[in-house]
Amino acid sequence: MDLDANSFKQACREGGRQIETWLRVVDREHGARFYREAAAALRSWQAAEDVVQEAMVKVWQRCATFRGPGEPLAWIHQIVRNTLLDTLRQRQAQAPREQPLHDDDGQLTRDAEAAVLSLSASGVATPEGALAEHQLEAVFRRCFEQFAAAHPEHATVLRWVVEDGLDNAAIEALLARSPGATREFISQCRKKARPFFAPWYALVSPSRSAP
Amino acid sequence: MTPETPTAPTAPEDDQRWLDLMAGRAVPDADARTRKEAAWLRAAMLSYRVSAPPGAPADADQRIGHLLTRARDAGVLAPAANDPAPRRRPGAWRRPALAACVAACGLVLVFLPQRQGLDDADGGTLRGALVQRLEVADAPSRRQQMLLDLRAAGFDAQPFERLGRLGLDVSLPVPLPQAQAAALTRLGLAPPPGPSLQIEFVMPEPTRP
């Protein structure tokens, strides 16, 4: 079965067996990618299955709004990511509030900046030669996990920016925000990421080769 | 200087350059500090990709089963034919079938005059198998009115314009509840079998002299 725009639109109009076939084929041929991406962000396969399947249902509830001639799979992937971001936002809204790291202008608070400098100083003091690659990796992963735990939406979008080269228009579509709000989100990504990666930045120095 | 501890305030345009660098795009006018901050973080994020937790998705058959059940519950797919239904005694099917026939005839009798009136006013309705086209003299205002009517009737309708044609996309549950089918019929539309309805508003063909 071709997963092309014509077949998608026809299934959308006719429903029934055609939608069921699409659901089966997309899950079989592309599900692994969607489930893996969601599981990486949610840290749970069960939650990932829930999100991806919720997205698959949304796809067919909204199928009439699909505009070709682009690939329906790209559109489906975007809905999976939208749903994933919604879930991350909901989780964060339910999580206990943490001490803010930034003031209203988006700059580090005095306490946060002091903590960053302190962590950086302790990192720099570590003998550089003793740091094996896997130690750097471990520090980076810990930094990223903490960033993702505190700002799951920003961390996830930043990961997609790096891995898929998303531009502003793609981020805008993912977040369903205006261009201005998207630019603000981008600034927030950088500001929110900085303090979490400070310990790792402190360990990598210009004299080392880039990872 | 190291790329570490970037705590200096940033300007929005610099943040944009940072994002473009993070995405792997060339930004010739980015300053050295931003370039370094982004390059190191990007390289690390690519090298140490976040992987899925240990484990795997559920077994494919089980997963598909969940997905189809969910799609049925959401009204995207019709209920499965083997869904448990109350047992009836032999011959008992005749009564509901008769009632359904009577109801269908009633609907036709009640709504046919309204549809005819609407079609006449709009210059006729062309119903293709795939897209329902309404021939109207003033497509923008007719579409707007239809959009309001559909939304007022509780439908999720979205306007579109494609190749100069104005239209509406309507998302529908499957199976379509009788009340919603009746509402579509009242508006001069044929309830479709699938979860979507596309309506196009077209100008009548000019009559030849």
Side-chain angles (χ1 to χ4, degrees), chain A residues 8-9 11-13 19 54-67 75-84 86 89 173-174 176, chain B residues 74-76 156-158 169-173 195-198:
Chain A
F8 181 82
K9 287 177 185 172
C12 183
R13 286 187 295 258
I19 288 184
E54 183 187 338
M56 289 300 137
V57 170
K58 276 187 195 168
V59 163
W60 293 101
Q61 286 172 328
R62 299 176 186 173
C63 60
T65 63
F66 169 71
R67 295 276 170 269
W75 188 72
I76 291 171
H77 191 195
Q78 185 178 314
I79 292 180
V80 171
R81 285 183 161 182
N82 287 143
T83 310
L84 178 53
D86 285 345
R89 269 182 226 125
L174 264 179
Chain B
V76 165
D156 176 11
Q158 300 294 331
D169 280 325
V170 189
S171 300
L172 302 167
S196 84
L197 166 61
Q198 294 180 344

Side-chain angles (χ1 to χ4, degrees), chain A residues 27 64 67 120 133 194 201, chain B residues 4-5 8 48 63 160 169:
Chain A
D27 189 275
R67 295 276 170 269
S120 304
E133 184 65 23
R194 277 178 158 191
Y201 272 126
Chain B
E4 62 299 330
T5 61
Y48 314 138
R63 208 172 61 212
F160 70 80
D169 280 325

Side-chain angles (χ1 to χ4, degrees), chain B residues 1-200:
Chain B
M1 193 183 80
T2 61
E4 62 299 330
T5 61
T7 57
T10 62
E13 60 272 22
D14 191 47
D15 292 337
Q16 182 62 55
R17 290 186 200 108
W18 170 82
L19 181 99
D20 288 335
L21 290 164
M22 290 294 290
R25 290 185 284 275
V27 186
D29 55 344
D31 67 33
R33 187 188 288 263
T34 302
R35 200 181 290 276
K36 208 173 280 182
E37 180 185 346
W40 284 71
L41 187 55
R42 174 179 159 78
M45 286 179 74
L46 286 173
S47 298
Y48 314 138
R49 282 178 191 242
V50 177
S51 52
D59 166 71
D61 288 342
Q62 190 186 2
R63 208 172 61 212
I64 294 278
H66 289 162
L67 177 58
L68 297 181
T69 303
R70 202 161 173 163
R72 288 188 186 105
D73 290 347
V76 165
L77 292 177
N82 58 356
D83 275 358
R87 286 175 66 85
R88 295 199 174 107
R89 57 182 194 279
W93 58 272
R94 289 197 186 93
R95 195 176 296 174
L98 186 64
C101 280
V102 171
C105 292
L107 273 176
V108 169
L109 288 174
V110 168
F111 296 122
L112 192 59
Q114 294 178 29
R115 274 178 58 178
Q116 282 172 338
L118 183 140
D119 290 353
D120 291 342
D122 283 338
T125 305
L126 308 175
R127 291 189 181 83
L130 304 176
V131 179
Q132 296 191 32
R133 294 196 176 88
L134 299 177
E135 277 194 359
V136 295
D138 182 358
S141 63
R142 187 70 188 88
R143 180 180 71 159
Q144 183 59 21
Q145 186 56 50
M146 180 69 85
L147 178 64
L148 295 175
D149 289 345
L150 285 166
R151 287 182 174 168
F155 292 102
D156 176 11
Q158 300 294 331
F160 70 80
E161 184 172 353
R162 192 160 44 223
L163 300 173
R165 278 187 175 169
L166 299 179
L168 293 171
D169 280 325
V170 189
S171 300
L172 302 167
V174 177
L176 191 64
Q178 201 173 355
Q180 290 201 312
L184 288 178
T185 311
R186 265 199 302 280
L187 292 168
L189 302 164
S196 84
L197 166 61
Q198 294 180 344
I199 310 161
E200 283 188 359

Side-chain angles (χ1 to χ4, degrees), chain A residues 89-103:
Chain A
R89 269 182 226 125
Q90 284 163 12
R91 278 189 173 188
Q92 198 179 17
Q94 289 161 1
R97 301 289 296 171
E98 291 183 3
Q99 191 73 15
L101 290 169
H102 303 93
D103 58 22

